[in-house]
């Protein structure tokens, strides 16, 4: 079931009005855009992030190799 089908079902069941469905879908799309923008870095930063991850992995290996 898609989000649109679920929203329509709630409208036809009398739980929500059409205006509620439209507003809810707009809010949901806005939230999804913000989450994706926060979670997925722009392509320009991919190489930097890959390097940072490799560097962090190397540091963790070095830290484990050094006795305390």
């Amino acid at each position: 079931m898609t989000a649109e089908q679920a929203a329509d079902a709630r409208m036809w069941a009398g739980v929500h009005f059409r205006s509620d469905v439209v507003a809810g879908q707009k809010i949901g799309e806005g939230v999804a855009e913000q989450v994706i923008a926060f979670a997925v870095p722009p392509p320009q930063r991919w190489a930097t992030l890959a390097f940072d991850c490799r560097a962090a992995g190397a540091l963790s290996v070095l830290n484990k190799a050094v006795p305390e």
Side-chain angles (χ1 to χ4, degrees):
M1 176 179 286
T2 67
E4 186 174 327
Q5 291 170 332
D8 285 343
R10 293 182 65 79
M11 185 195 65
W12 289 112
V15 177
H16 294 296
F17 293 106
R18 172 58 66 187
S19 58
D20 297 330
V21 170
V22 172
Q25 287 175 331
K26 286 183 181 178
I27 291 170
E29 289 170 2
V31 169
E33 288 174 4
Q34 292 294 316
V35 168
I36 291 169
F38 180 78
V40 179
Q44 299 88 339
R45 293 204 46 229
W46 290 354
T48 303
L49 289 172
F51 176 77
D52 291 345
C53 291
R54 285 193 305 267
L59 288 175
S60 67
V61 169
L62 288 175
N63 287 338
K64 289 178 186 175
V66 176
E68 292 184 20

